[in-house]
Amino acid sequence: MLPDGVRPTVVVGHARFTGPMAKALADQSYPQATRLHFVHMHPDRIEWGKGDREDAARTAEQHTIQERELCETATRTIAVGPLLHEYALSKLTYGPRVADAVQVVPGFDAMPPVRRQRLGRALIMVLGRVHNENKGLALAAKAVGYAVNQLGHSEEDLELYLRGVRPGRGADVRRALLEWSGLPGLTTTIRNYTENPAAVLADLATISLVLMPSFEEDFGLVGWEALCAGVPVLISARSGLGTLIRASGLPDDLVARVVLDVRKDGAVDVPLWASHISRVLHNREAAFRTVEQVLAFMADRYTWAAAVEVVEDAVRGRQSPALPGNGG
């Protein structure tokens, strides 16, 4: 509870993690406060990729019901990115009593600069909760192996850097990576998952290329972090971030260098991703120039000031203007 005399005007809940607590706090102690509910995941998209789920269908339904109840009772629902906005409009915020969800996009204009790794061995990074099959770790490793075995690169000239392993699972993940890549001598660095942004920025300062080959990705903060830090990145089109970039108005030639299709067919996906990995390895300077162009374009259209305005409008009950290229 807050000190006596402190009466918040806004209570914020984050998905099913803090959403129930925010609702209870608003209902029981601050009934006059505006309650905002943020949607940041789509259970039917992500639960099937979690290998430790015995009944993904049941879990996804339970989480969807919980999200819908939180949206129905909130003052306003705010969804992160275009895919979650569509999900909230179609699955969570319908009926005469519920206000349509609004979309917020993280700004591309406020990431601290990082030192950029352009020389020496190329470090190729996969970042995130890699135990989730949806993250496409096998595709990343196979594409790196293809780039070496089929496209003429030397495994001595690159390293696969993995951040996002559960404690105690590093050895198993490393064995799987080497098997998938077909490169038993590939240099690999394994790091546990972290929520420390300073550790992620320190990683990005050493990286030549970040891969986000997700089969399903509600937004894609990994790709967003890499892009905002000015690091070359390949982003799955099956992500909210990829969808946003493709619809942003960015010139097609730049889109094609950062957003790649994922068909869930290794015979198609592996050569495609390997060819783009090869392109970056052949000319890292050009890859860094590309990401600078992409970042400049996105930072001009999606700012933190605009994101704050969306939240402020939700608090005040106003309708925010449509975001560029996605219909609102």
Side-chain angles (χ1 to χ4, degrees):
M1 295 295 294
L2 296 174
D4 290 342
V6 176
R7 308 294 295 179
T9 57
V10 181
V11 177
V12 177
H14 174 71
R16 59 185 171 82
F17 300 102
T18 61
M21 290 175 278
K23 182 180 184 303
L25 189 64
D27 290 348
Q28 297 170 16
S29 302
Y30 309 112
Q32 302 306 313
T34 295
R35 180 165 67 85
L36 302 180
H37 182 69
F38 279 77
V39 175
H40 90 124
M41 61 175 58
H42 185 326
D44 287 308
R45 285 173 58 89
I46 66 170
E47 290 300 330
W48 294 98
K50 297 180 179 179
D52 56 353
R53 292 291 189 268
E54 293 183 1
D55 189 346
R58 181 167 179 250
T59 301
E61 182 177 15
Q62 290 174 335
H63 290 172
T64 300
I65 291 171
Q66 186 177 27
E67 286 282 359
R68 184 180 298 131
E69 290 173 347
L70 291 167
C71 292
E72 286 176 348
T73 55
T75 308
R76 202 66 190 261
T77 296
I78 302 177
V80 180
L83 294 186
L84 288 169
H85 186 225
E86 179 184 1
Y87 164 61
L89 290 176
S90 62
K91 299 288 184 68
L92 301 178
T93 56
Y94 56 84
R97 295 187 301 104
V98 184
D100 283 346
V102 295
Q103 178 184 179
V104 67
V105 173
F108 289 79
D109 59 338
M111 176 71 76
V114 299
R115 180 180 62 81
R116 295 169 180 177
Q117 202 275 0
R118 301 169 186 251
L119 302 174
R121 174 180 282 171
L123 271 69
I124 301 175
M125 184 181 196
V126 181
L127 173 67
R129 300 176 190 271
V130 297
H131 55 274
N132 188 325
E133 295 174 6
N134 280 333
K135 301 301 182 183
L137 180 57
L139 170 55
K142 290 175 181 178
V144 169
Y146 192 101
V148 171
N149 291 321
Q150 303 296 325
L151 302 179
H153 295 282
S154 170
E155 64 182 273
E156 287 78 21
D157 294 333
L158 60 89
E159 176 179 340
L160 190 57
Y161 188 104
L162 184 62
R163 166 70 80 176
V165 178
R166 285 176 169 173
R169 294 292 308 280
D172 292 338
V173 171
R174 185 176 183 277
R175 280 192 292 270
L177 280 175
L178 295 177
E179 181 178 349
W180 287 326
S181 71
L183 302 172
L186 178 65
T187 300
T188 56
T189 297
I190 307 293
R191 295 286 185 267
N192 288 345
Y193 177 80
T194 181
E195 295 181 353
N196 180 357
V200 174
L201 280 177
D203 286 343
L204 290 173
T206 70
I207 299 302
S208 309
L209 173 64
V210 173
L211 304 179
M212 196 187 85
S214 307
F215 297 151
E216 304 289 349
E217 193 73 63
D218 293 331
F219 184 70
L221 288 177
V222 166
W224 172 83
E225 287 174 327
L227 184 56
C228 290
V231 178
V233 60
L234 299 177
I235 297 164
S236 168
R238 298 178 67 93
S239 67
L241 178 60
T243 301
L244 180 74
I245 292 172
R246 281 187 166 178
S248 68
L250 182 71
D252 290 345
D253 63 320
L254 291 178
V255 172
R257 293 181 217 168
V258 294
V259 180
L260 305 183
D261 287 334
V262 176
R263 302 294 186 187
K264 298 186 179 182
D265 179 350
V268 176
D269 295 336
V270 172
L272 172 66
W273 281 73
S275 68
H276 284 268
I277 291 170
S278 178
R279 171 179 54 80
V280 173
L281 294 178
H282 273 305
N283 194 339
R284 273 185 269 172
E285 288 292 339
F288 276 98
R289 288 194 297 271
T290 292
V291 80
E292 288 170 0
Q293 292 176 275
V294 174
L295 178 57
F297 184 96
M298 298 300 289
D300 184 57
R301 283 155 178 74
Y302 304 99
T303 66
W304 278 113
V308 170
E309 185 177 357
V310 169
V311 177
E312 290 178 340
D313 286 347
V315 171
R316 297 187 178 104
R318 299 190 306 223
Q319 182 67 42
S320 298
L323 291 168
N326 59 39

